[in-house]
């Protein structure tokens, strides 16, 4: 049995990750489930940098177990890529999802529809027991609406209209399973799984 420490206690992420990386003999434990204290300062200026900080901290705190971390957020072109790595605290350190959405709408108040392009980005960093690192990145392109719509999802989902749905709905208006098929994290997980499968195949050939 291979144990992978997930550098999160977010139930949404845990479910999505365990379903996507369904390798036989793998089990996934959150930091809390593994009894691990790990809360490193995420002070990098990129998603990759912050994901690496969290993955390395979990790997070391667990005594060398495999660890997986992600960092994700929203990039809005009209705001020069903001909120970016500050997505969860766009409106302040203690900001709620509603606070962040309100600030985003205020900052885009005078921006016309054709300039409200944006994307969700997710970067994953997997550190194996031997310390080797595998990374992946996933995105989903779309636009920012003018008001929240939908009761599902979290974060900026009620404001985000994915291009893949051709303007039919926001990310907060689709079932979780459908969201996983098109989301930035889902795309990053599929890319990571492919890379890990290739690495495993190469090891077996040796």
């Amino acid at each position: 049995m291979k144990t992978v420490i997930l550098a999160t206690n977010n139930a949404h992420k845990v479910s999505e990750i365990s379903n996507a990386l369904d390798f036989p003999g793998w089990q996934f434990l959150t930091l809390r489930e593994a009894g691990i204290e790990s809360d490193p300062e995420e002070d990098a200026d990129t998603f990759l940098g912050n994901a690496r900080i969290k993955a390395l901290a979990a790997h070391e705190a667990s005594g060398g177990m495999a660890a997986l971390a992600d960092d994700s957020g929203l990039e809005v072109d009209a705001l020069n890529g903001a909120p970016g790595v500050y997505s969860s605290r766009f409106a302040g350190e203690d900001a709620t999802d509603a606070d962040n959405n309100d600030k985003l709408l205020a900052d885009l108040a005078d921006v016309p529809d054709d300039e409200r392009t944006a994307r969700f980005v997710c970067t994953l960093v997997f550190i194996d027991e031997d310390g080797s690192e595998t990374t992946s990145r996933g995105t989903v392109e779309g636009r920012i609406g003018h008001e929240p719509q939908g009761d599902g999802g979290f974060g900026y989902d009620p404001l985000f209209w994915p291009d893949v749905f051709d303007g039919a709905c926001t990310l907060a208006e689709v079932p979780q399973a459908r969201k996983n098929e098109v989301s930035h994290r889902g795309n990053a997980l599929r890319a990571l799984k492919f890379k890990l499968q290739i690495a495993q195949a190469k090891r077996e050939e040796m």
Side-chain angles (χ1 to χ4, degrees):
M1 179 67 70
K2 182 186 184 76
T3 298
V4 180
I5 304 300
L6 302 180
T8 182
N9 286 308
N10 185 310
H12 293 283
K13 293 182 181 180
V14 172
S15 176
E16 190 171 358
I17 290 170
S18 60
N19 286 331
L21 301 181
D22 56 346
F23 293 112
W26 282 36
Q27 69 168 347
F28 298 91
L29 297 179
T30 64
L31 294 168
R32 185 179 298 117
E33 289 170 338
I36 295 172
E37 292 290 337
S38 179
D39 187 22
E41 183 178 1
E42 299 172 40
D43 54 3
D45 57 4
T46 64
F47 295 121
L48 176 60
N50 282 329
R52 180 176 287 122
I53 287 171
K54 290 184 282 188
L56 283 171
H59 174 68
E60 293 170 1
S62 67
M65 289 184 178
L68 176 63
D70 88 299
D71 199 52
S72 55
L74 179 71
E75 295 180 342
V76 180
D77 294 322
L79 302 180
N80 298 315
V85 295
Y86 303 103
S87 292
S88 65
R89 54 189 188 279
F90 192 38
E93 288 297 327
D94 298 319
T96 64
D97 288 349
D99 294 333
N100 289 328
N101 285 335
D102 287 344
K103 176 171 172 52
L104 180 60
L105 289 176
D107 288 353
L108 294 176
D110 298 322
V111 178
D113 287 348
D114 61 352
E115 296 179 19
R116 298 171 76 95
T117 54
R119 70 204 48 80
F120 275 119
V121 178
C122 174
T123 298
L124 294 168
V125 174
F126 177 79
I127 308 291
D128 215 337
E129 290 102 335
D130 62 1
S132 61
E133 176 183 288
T134 305
T135 68
S136 66
R137 184 176 188 269
T139 64
V140 56
E141 298 287 332
R143 296 177 183 274
I144 303 301
H146 292 273
E147 60 182 11
Q149 189 164 313
D151 299 321
F154 58 96
Y156 300 95
D157 287 356
L159 293 178
F160 190 81
W161 295 77
D163 291 346
V164 68
F165 294 151
D166 198 25
C169 58
T170 69
L171 272 185
E173 295 179 290
V174 295
Q176 186 63 43
R178 179 65 176 126
K179 178 184 173 183
N180 292 349
E181 293 174 357
V182 303
S183 75
H184 52 309
R185 187 171 295 105
N187 290 333
L189 283 165
R190 283 183 284 275
L192 180 66
K193 183 175 183 178
F194 177 74
K195 288 185 176 182
L196 292 175
Q197 288 173 326
I198 294 297
Q200 178 62 33
K202 288 182 178 179
R203 284 194 295 269
E204 292 174 353
E205 291 175 355
M206 296 176 62

